[in-house]
Amino acid sequence: MSLWVDQYRPRTLDALQYHTGLSERLKSLAASGDFPHMLFYGPSGAGKKTRISCTLRQLFGPGVEKLKIDQRIFLSPSKRKLEINIVQSNYHLEITPSEAGNYDRLVIQELLKEIAQTQQVDLSAKQRFKVVVINEADSLSRDAQAALRRTMEKYMSNMRIILCANSTSRLIAPIKSRCLLMRVAAPNEAEISSVLQSVARRAGFDLPPSAGDKIVEDSGGNLRKAILTLEALKMQSPDLTGPLSIAKPDWEAYCQKVADLIIGEQTPARVMEVRSKFYELLSHCIPPTVILKTVAERVVDKVDEALKADIMHWAAFYEVRMRTGNKKIYHLEAWVIKVMSLYKHFFFNIDMSEFD
């Protein structure tokens, strides 16, 4: 049995309940006969992949939903085997090249070249090209992006590329200039509430306004999280009345403990303790940028107003370094040491001012 977030996912552009202007624009593009390369970007949980799948259905019809998963093996120059999962239909492919790490350029070059050099064989297809959906496009290496740019120029007649990214900041300018940019903003509270009510009706129950407001407040603009929370609460309390407690994920509670450790003591021994906690979070596949954001938000909640701006400034500084560097732990640890230094210096100055 599938989760509600998949079971009640809209299948067509008309079924999408928010950003209707964007849906109309996508419908007109699909009908125009001159469909461009596209870049969908926006925060996690805003509905980018749902809009992409609805756009594909608008382009090719219901056949695009008949999917199969294929596993392809690529050989690196050092003869290392790279296994990449490909979700595909007769009309499109969906890949995540960043799974290959530093060898993502190899996946881009071989796979896209192979697809682009073959004609659409389905004579009943509405369009004469295939679409390649590239997830996590902002995680591609510079070499992979350069290879992608050349492919986009060379094989436009047989293939269209749809990129899906959280942000455009890490994509090179030539790729952005060759795509039509589609910003999928996070839904506002009223839109999330409307979607939750719709899901509840389809699931066969009424959602009390108090429970809906609590879920919306907890979601932080992430619609996927809101629907998952609704389903979890429905399993816990079928009538959704009384005091509802939305449990935090284990990793989030762990991040909050790390923040408390940073505030509690500023010593080399505490730095090493925090480092081991970071390693544990990373080993459980929590993205380093998410770790930094969660810990920073908790630290900011617990420090003096005068320190808040500096702490977030250095969090942003080390996040940029983390994205361009390799060893994530170095940058996480550097931020912790910087915060400890700021915190200790701040209270040292307060203590000294008492003697003035």
Side-chain angles (χ1 to χ4, degrees):
M1 186 175 174
S2 59
L3 295 169
W4 288 353
V5 74
D6 295 316
Q7 188 177 347
Y8 302 123
R9 186 189 299 272
R11 299 285 184 261
T12 64
L13 290 171
D14 289 327
L16 288 163
Q17 294 175 265
Y18 61 99
H19 301 337
T20 52
L22 183 57
S23 299
E24 290 299 321
R25 190 178 175 196
L26 289 168
K27 281 168 67 178
S28 63
L29 279 169
S32 68
D34 186 23
F35 193 77
H37 299 305
M38 300 184 78
L39 168 58
F40 286 78
Y41 68 99
S44 182
K48 299 184 294 296
K49 288 184 181 177
T50 300
R51 265 168 214 283
I52 290 171
S53 63
C54 291
T55 304
L56 290 172
R57 185 186 170 105
Q58 190 75 25
L59 273 171
F60 299 108
V64 82
E65 294 177 356
K66 295 176 181 175
L67 300 172
K68 63 177 181 177
I69 299 176
D70 187 21
Q71 191 174 65
R72 290 286 300 273
I73 296 177
F74 299 88
L75 280 178
S76 71
S78 59
K79 303 302 179 187
R80 178 184 168 192
K81 288 185 178 180
L82 308 169
E83 295 182 354
I84 300 294
N85 291 323
I86 301 171
V87 179
Q88 59 184 338
S89 70
N90 289 337
Y91 310 100
H92 85 291
L93 284 90
E94 188 174 330
I95 58 173
T96 309
S98 56
E99 289 176 358
N102 293 333
Y103 298 106
D104 53 356
R105 180 180 62 85
L106 187 74
V107 176
I108 291 283
Q109 280 182 323
E110 292 193 18
L111 194 60
L112 296 193
K113 189 175 179 182
E114 176 188 318
I115 298 161
Q117 288 179 338
T118 58
Q119 294 283 346
Q120 172 63 269
V121 293
D122 190 345
L123 298 177
S124 63
K126 294 180 182 178
Q127 307 289 346
R128 304 309 305 156
F129 56 80
K130 270 196 169 187
V131 172
V132 179
V133 179
I134 299 179
N135 295 321
E136 298 178 17
D138 47 346
S139 298
L140 293 174
S141 66
R142 302 289 269 194
D143 288 343
Q145 291 187 44
L148 179 60
R149 183 197 74 180
R150 291 191 291 273
T151 307
M152 291 168 81
E153 291 173 344
K154 193 172 181 181
Y155 300 112
M156 179 75 176
S157 59
N158 290 350
M159 180 177 66
R160 297 292 187 278
I161 290 172
I162 296 179
L163 302 171
C164 183
N166 286 345
S167 167
T168 61
S169 60
R170 295 190 67 200
L171 291 168
I172 59 175
I175 284 184
K176 289 186 278 191
S177 68
R178 285 162 176 76
C179 293
L180 178 62
L181 271 62
M182 289 286 179
R183 180 173 177 267
V184 184
N188 60 37
E189 292 187 356
E191 289 166 339
I192 293 178
S193 182
S194 172
V195 172
L196 289 177
Q197 291 289 352
S198 173
V199 169
R201 281 195 300 272
R202 293 177 69 182
F205 67 94
D206 291 324
L207 176 63
S210 58
D213 293 344
K214 190 175 180 65
I215 294 169
V216 169
E217 183 184 349
D218 180 73
S219 68
N222 187 325
L223 184 56
R224 186 194 307 113
K225 181 181 178 182
I227 297 172
L228 289 170
T229 303
L230 173 64
E231 186 173 6
L233 289 177
K234 180 66 176 171
M235 295 300 108
Q236 289 174 16
S237 173
D239 56 357
L240 291 172
T241 56
L244 297 173
S245 60
I246 299 175
K248 296 286 184 189
D250 290 345
W251 65 267
E252 198 170 320
Y254 202 78
C255 284
Q256 291 183 352
K257 286 181 183 176
V258 172
D260 294 342
L261 287 173
I262 295 169
I263 297 300
E265 184 183 318
Q266 295 78 45
T267 61
R270 184 53 60 91
V271 171
M272 296 306 293
E273 188 180 349
V274 169
R275 182 192 181 112
S276 67
K277 303 283 186 194
F278 280 150
Y279 267 127
E280 194 165 343
L281 286 163
L282 291 169
S283 69
H284 284 82
C285 301
I286 307 300
T289 52
V290 173
I291 295 172
L292 181 59
K293 178 176 180 287
T294 309
V295 175
E297 285 175 348
R298 174 73 170 183
V299 170
V300 161
D301 285 343
K302 304 201 71 167
V303 298
D304 195 272
E305 198 69 35
L307 282 173
K308 293 182 189 292
D310 279 343
I311 287 171
M312 293 313 289
H313 164 77
W314 287 108
F317 176 83
Y318 284 109
E319 184 183 5
V320 171
R321 287 199 164 191
M322 194 188 298
R323 289 182 183 278
T324 54
N326 291 322
K327 283 281 189 180
K328 312 301 182 188
I329 190 68
Y330 291 168
H331 308 292
L332 287 170
E333 194 175 28
W335 176 77
V336 168
I337 293 168
K338 189 70 184 178
V339 170
M340 285 184 172
S341 172
L342 288 168
Y343 192 77
K344 203 162 188 177
H345 186 69
F346 177 76
F347 281 101
F348 176 77
N349 286 344
I350 288 177
D351 291 342
M352 292 301 292
S353 67
E354 292 177 359
F355 295 99
D356 293 346

